[in-house]
């Protein structure tokens, strides 16, 4: 502290008593000192203390160099962390310190490297700079720290981080303890009246929303399903728009910037996804670089097979350096539960060419720009169950899962409808080819009761073509009907007993959740899990949330990593209609010319 103690601690007449608002610090949540007072050290009644003020100093525990214990670690050998071998010896105060120590250190984790089939010979080891938290990929350069801001105590290093009666933990504090020193100072003489009162907190944690649990349904469909058995194919599907980092700037006005940092959000997203433990994951707004560098390797470790389709057009019009931020759809499935039979990648900008060619010549150029400049995609996969004990033939254990992110922008409602109609009409061909169950997940950018939503769940719509909603007259070329028995999974809440708590989080008029998207500009439902109810039964659903649980401020937030909430449903295959022979092959291009009515 700035003031030195000028007398033996045993002779102090006064001491500081201080209480913290919480001993469990959370990133972004202010810690307040409460009930700070100066009391007689001998607990005797006498003259009151002189006029005084309190001084405070906050410290953060930090990692010392494993070689030079009095210095702050600024780099870590990541191979040790990955192998969980001799981690306490992997921290160094400089790159030179790391290099000098490598030949001696490598024997400590040579066995672990071999076990992981990791070539760890020589000096070709990954080195990362550390933040003070150890969890984030940047550390303030140790050279910029004033020596008075560092306190060394035995093998512990503490860095000064604040000097007021409150402190707000930051990303740099995550996983580390905080330490508050409090003392009293004579207001007139400026001399210390007490020794330091020292309070050490628990390690700083990230804020998190309460875990959402799966709600099992009790409806007549399930109760009357007499053929239900332990050998039936049961699986779960999660749909989640994770908010691409390149789009998170839209939330700057209401979400703290540190909570928007991708390094922070990616960990919260992964943690939430892992907790859901779905068999199939359908993610939207996954940036190309984040898929390759984070989601793909992390989820492969958990046994998922992966596939990815990024949006097509943006890369044609942006600089090379911006292509990595282009986002798309990523689908993951547990490789022990399913195998891939067929995969389709749908590019809506290219698929719109048949509609553009049908337009009158004088408006084709305008139509091409209007329809083909929207580069949204869909990723469709046919999976076959590998679950042990299935009493079905292989083709009777197949499901088709579509993952999409549909376009929306003001004045382009016809584009939104075209993309939804085109997707469903092609999926109809796939489903009919083998009487295969169908699940469609994604961000449809369409409210309940809108034309795209009604088309999916009602099977047809009678759109009135007007200049406002159909400026080019494309509705006449669309096949605005389908034969699929598609239902929104979350509508099952309204047909189930014992889930009254979820009813109030639903919109009874639309039979959809009250919201799946919540920002400072819009509140409503845009995300859905549709399924064919003649081939699948909803067993359970991930519970919904209400506005109160996210403080009515919108998301993302420190506890909620995206502006959308995740949806998840568990399904059971209905008893199939038996084929006399093997089913016909899947169509090679189910979307060929389906846009034309």
């Amino acid at each position: 502290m700035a003031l030195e103690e000028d007398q033996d601690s045993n002779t102090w007449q006064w001491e500081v008593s201080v209480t913290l608002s919480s001993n469990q610090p959370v990133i972004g949540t202010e810690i307040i000192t409460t009930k700070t007072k100066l009391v007689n050290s001998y607990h005797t009644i006498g003259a009151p203390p002189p006029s005084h003020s309190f001084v405070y100093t906050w410290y953060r525990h930090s990692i010392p160099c494993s070689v030079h214990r009095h210095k702050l670690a600024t780099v870590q050998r990541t191979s040790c962390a990955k192998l969980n071998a001799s981690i306490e010896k992997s921290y160094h105060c400089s790159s030179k310190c790391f290099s000098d120590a490598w030949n001696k250190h490598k024997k400590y984790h040579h066995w672990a490297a071999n076990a992981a089939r990791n070539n760890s010979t020589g000096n070709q080891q990954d080195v990362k700079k550390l933040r003070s938290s150890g969890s984030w990929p940047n550390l303030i350069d140790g050279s910029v720290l004033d020596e008075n801001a560092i306190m060394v105590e035995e093998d512990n290093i503490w860095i000064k981080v604040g000097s007021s009666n409150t402190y707000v933990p930051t990303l740099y504090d995550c996983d580390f303890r905080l330490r508050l020193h409090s003392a009293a100072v004579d207001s007139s003489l400026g001399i210390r009246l007490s020794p330091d009162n020292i309070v050490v907190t628990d390690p700083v944690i990230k804020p998190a929303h309460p875990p959402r649990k799966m709600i099992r349904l009790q409806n007549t469909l399930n109760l009357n399903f007499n053929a239900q058995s332990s050998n039936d194919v049961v699986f779960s599907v999660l749909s989640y728009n994770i908010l691409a980092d390149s789009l998170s700037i839209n939330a700057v006005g209401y979400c703290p910037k540190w909570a928007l940092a991708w390094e922070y959000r990616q960990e919260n997203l992964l943690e939430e996804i892992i907790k859901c433990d779905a068999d199939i994951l359908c993610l939207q707004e996954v940036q190309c670089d984040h898929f390759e560098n984070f989601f793909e390797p992390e989820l492969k470790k958990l046994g998922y097979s992966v596939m990815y389709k990024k949006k097509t057009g943006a890369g044609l019009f942006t600089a090379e350096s911006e292509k990595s931020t282009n986002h798309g759809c990523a689908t993951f499935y547990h490789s022990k539960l399913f195998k891939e039979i067929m995969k389709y990648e749908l590019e809506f900008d290219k698929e719109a060419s048949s509609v553009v060619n049908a337009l009158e010549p004088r408006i084709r150029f305008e139509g091409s720009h209007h329809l083909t400049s929207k580069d949204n995609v869909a990723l469709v996969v046919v999976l076959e169950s590998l679950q042990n004990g299935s009493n079905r033939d292989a083709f009777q254990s197949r499901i088709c899962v579509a993952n999409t992110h549909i376009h929306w922008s003001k004045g382009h409602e016809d584009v939104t409808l075209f993309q939804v109609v085109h997707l469903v009409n092609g999926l109809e061909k796939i489903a009919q080819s083998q009487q295969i169950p169908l699940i469609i997940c994604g961000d449809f950018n369409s409210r309940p009761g809108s034309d795209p939503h009604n088309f999916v769940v009602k099977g047809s719509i009678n759109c009135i073509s007007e200049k406002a909603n159909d400026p080019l007259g494309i509705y006449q070329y669309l096949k605005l009907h389908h034969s699929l028995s598609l239902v929104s999974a979350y509508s099952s809440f309204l047909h189930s007993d014992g889930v009254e708590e979820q009813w109030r989080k639903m919109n009874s008029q639309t039979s959809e959740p009250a919201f799946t998207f919540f920002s400072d500009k819009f509140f409503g439902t845009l995300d859905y899990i549709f399924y064919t109810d003649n081939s699948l039964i909803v067993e359970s659903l991930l519970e919904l949330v209400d506005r109160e649980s996210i403080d009515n401020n919108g998301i993302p937030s420190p506890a909620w990593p995206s502006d959308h909430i995740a949806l998840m449903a568990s399904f059971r295959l209905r008893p199939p209609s038996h084929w006399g022979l093997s089913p016909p092959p899947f169509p090679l291009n189910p979307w060929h010319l389906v846009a034309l009515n």
Side-chain angles (χ1 to χ4, degrees):
M1 296 184 65
L3 295 169
E4 296 296 331
E5 298 183 2
D6 53 8
Q7 64 185 96
D8 187 271
S9 60
N10 292 327
T11 66
W12 292 109
Q13 180 181 356
W14 307 99
E15 62 185 33
V16 172
S17 173
V18 63
T19 304
L20 298 182
S21 56
S22 173
N23 202 55
Q24 176 58 80
V26 180
I27 293 176
T29 300
E30 185 178 47
I31 307 173
I32 302 172
T33 55
T34 62
K35 301 179 182 178
T36 304
K37 56 184 178 180
L38 192 61
V39 298
N40 189 299
S41 299
Y42 304 106
H43 305 287
T44 59
I45 299 175
S51 176
H52 61 275
S53 60
F54 296 103
V55 293
Y56 304 90
T57 307
W58 293 87
Y59 294 92
R60 173 179 61 242
H61 186 237
S62 297
I63 301 174
C65 173
S66 57
V67 178
H68 309 98
R69 302 297 295 179
H70 63 289
K71 293 184 178 181
L72 181 68
T74 60
V75 296
Q76 180 189 21
R77 185 181 297 107
T78 57
S79 58
C80 295
K82 292 176 181 178
L83 296 170
N84 198 27
S86 302
I87 293 178
E88 71 281 356
K89 298 180 181 294
S90 67
Y91 299 102
H92 298 273
C93 55
S94 67
S95 297
K96 183 178 185 304
C97 175
F98 152 74
S99 180
D100 292 344
W102 168 239
N103 286 330
K104 181 178 180 181
H105 175 80
K106 63 182 179 181
K107 64 182 181 180
Y108 288 105
H109 68 105
H110 182 69
W111 63 271
N114 287 337
R117 298 180 180 178
N118 182 26
N119 181 13
S120 59
T121 59
N123 285 330
Q124 298 178 350
Q125 293 295 313
D126 293 330
V127 180
K128 74 172 180 180
K129 288 186 177 181
L130 296 173
R131 263 179 166 161
S132 308
S133 67
S135 303
W136 311 97
N138 277 325
L139 173 65
I140 49 177
D141 188 344
S143 63
V144 304
L145 291 172
D146 188 305
E147 63 179 7
N148 292 325
I150 299 179
M151 180 175 61
V152 180
E153 185 180 73
E154 297 180 351
D155 284 342
N156 293 304
I157 293 181
W158 298 85
I159 299 177
K160 181 179 177 180
V161 293
S163 56
S164 72
N165 64 327
T166 65
Y167 181 70
V168 180
T170 69
L171 285 176
Y172 297 96
D173 303 314
C174 189
D175 299 330
F176 284 92
R177 290 174 292 148
L178 299 174
R179 173 166 162 160
L180 174 63
H181 288 226
S182 309
V185 177
D186 188 300
S187 299
S188 300
L189 303 177
I191 62 172
R192 180 189 291 269
L193 296 175
S194 71
D196 280 358
N197 175 290
I198 299 175
V199 178
V200 179
T201 72
D202 293 334
V204 177
I205 62 174
K206 295 181 294 183
H209 59 77
R212 298 166 62 192
K213 60 182 181 294
M214 294 294 286
I215 307 296
R216 188 165 182 83
L217 303 183
Q218 302 175 19
N219 55 46
T220 54
L221 289 176
N222 285 353
L223 293 175
N224 294 334
F225 184 28
N226 296 325
Q228 181 172 321
S229 79
S230 59
N231 290 330
D232 289 330
V233 177
V234 179
F235 60 94
S236 55
V237 181
L238 177 139
S239 182
Y240 198 2
N241 181 325
I242 64 171
L243 179 58
D245 185 45
S246 56
L247 301 178
S248 65
I249 189 173
N250 297 325
V252 167
Y254 60 92
C255 180
K257 289 185 178 180
W258 62 263
L260 287 177
W262 178 247
E263 293 84 359
Y264 177 79
R265 289 201 303 118
Q266 70 175 3
E267 299 297 334
N268 284 1
L269 286 165
L270 182 63
E271 182 178 347
E272 183 176 6
I273 290 169
I274 290 174
K275 285 181 179 178
C276 286
D277 193 26
D279 302 320
I280 302 170
L281 309 173
C282 295
L283 306 183
Q284 303 89 41
E285 285 193 22
V286 182
Q287 282 186 198
C288 183
D289 53 339
H290 296 160
F291 173 77
E292 294 174 353
N293 301 329
F294 183 70
F295 287 109
E296 180 178 21
E298 291 297 328
L299 290 172
K300 275 187 172 180
K301 293 177 186 176
L302 300 175
Y304 286 97
S305 293
V306 304
M307 57 184 69
Y308 179 70
K309 178 64 178 177
K310 71 175 180 179
K311 296 172 68 175
T312 57
L316 300 176
F317 307 106
T318 58
E320 188 68 29
S321 61
E322 296 176 352
K323 289 184 179 180
S324 64
T325 64
N326 193 18
H327 59 85
C329 297
T331 299
F332 308 80
Y333 60 91
H334 270 304
S335 55
K336 291 184 178 180
L337 299 179
F338 297 99
K339 69 177 181 180
E340 178 186 325
I341 301 298
M342 192 75 172
K343 182 178 77 171
Y344 301 95
E345 296 181 351
L346 184 60
E347 301 174 355
F348 290 112
D349 53 352
K350 295 179 181 178
E351 294 294 327
S353 60
S354 59
V355 174
V356 172
N357 292 334
L359 296 174
E360 296 179 16
R362 62 182 178 83
I363 59 172
R364 281 180 188 168
F365 178 79
E366 181 184 358
S368 177
H369 176 74
H370 189 75
L371 286 169
T372 63
S373 62
K374 308 305 180 289
D375 60 338
N376 300 73
V377 297
L379 190 57
V380 181
V381 61
V382 176
L383 300 173
E384 185 173 288
S385 173
L386 300 175
Q387 293 185 31
N388 294 329
S390 175
N391 58 5
R392 304 163 185 266
D393 294 330
F395 66 85
Q396 293 173 346
S397 297
R398 291 177 179 176
I399 56 173
C400 178
V401 179
N403 179 11
T404 191
H405 187 187
I406 299 298
H407 174 80
W408 185 88
S409 60
K410 191 172 179 59
H412 291 81
E413 292 80 1
D414 55 336
V415 178
T416 303
L417 181 61
F418 160 74
Q419 292 184 356
V420 172
V421 167
H422 194 66
L423 171 65
V424 172
N425 285 333
L427 293 173
E428 181 180 27
K429 288 187 175 182
I430 297 174
Q432 290 178 341
S433 67
Q434 293 194 7
Q435 297 183 13
I436 188 170
L438 175 63
I439 296 172
I440 313 175
C441 297
D443 177 358
F444 281 72
N445 268 316
S446 303
R447 301 186 189 190
S450 64
D451 284 341
H453 180 267
N454 284 339
F455 171 78
V456 175
V457 298
K458 294 184 177 180
S460 66
I461 51 174
N462 183 21
C463 286
I464 299 176
S465 179
E466 298 177 347
K467 193 67 176 177
N469 64 353
D470 188 21
L472 298 174
I474 70 169
Y475 286 4
Q476 62 184 309
Y477 303 113
L478 303 183
K479 177 178 171 286
L480 298 176
H481 58 88
H482 66 82
S483 61
L484 297 169
S485 182
L486 287 169
V487 176
S488 174
Y490 272 80
S491 67
S492 302
F493 267 145
L494 296 178
H495 306 292
S496 178
D497 298 324
V499 293
E500 290 76 10
E501 178 65 19
Q502 301 304 307
W503 291 353
R504 68 179 187 86
K505 302 172 186 177
M506 294 282 293
N507 184 325
S508 59
Q509 294 182 335
T510 64
S511 297
E512 296 289 0
F515 73 96
T516 65
F517 177 91
F518 186 12
S519 74
D520 60 341
K521 296 181 177 64
F522 178 79
F523 172 88
T525 293
L526 301 175
D527 307 84
Y528 306 92
I529 299 177
F530 297 115
Y531 72 103
T532 47
D533 69 347
N534 56 354
S535 54
L536 293 166
I537 291 176
V538 179
E539 294 263 296
S540 56
L541 293 166
L542 185 64
E543 67 177 324
L544 294 170
V545 298
D546 50 29
R547 294 182 67 138
E548 291 73 22
S549 65
I550 47 182
D551 300 326
N552 279 313
N553 293 324
I555 49 178
S557 68
W560 297 84
S562 176
D563 49 3
H564 295 249
I565 64 169
L567 301 179
M568 180 172 163
S570 176
F571 295 97
R572 182 185 296 271
L573 280 174
R574 280 181 178 274
S577 300
H578 295 281
W579 288 89
L581 300 172
S582 296
F586 289 108
L588 295 179
N589 184 3
W591 287 276
H592 181 60
L593 297 180
V594 299
L596 296 181
N597 189 4

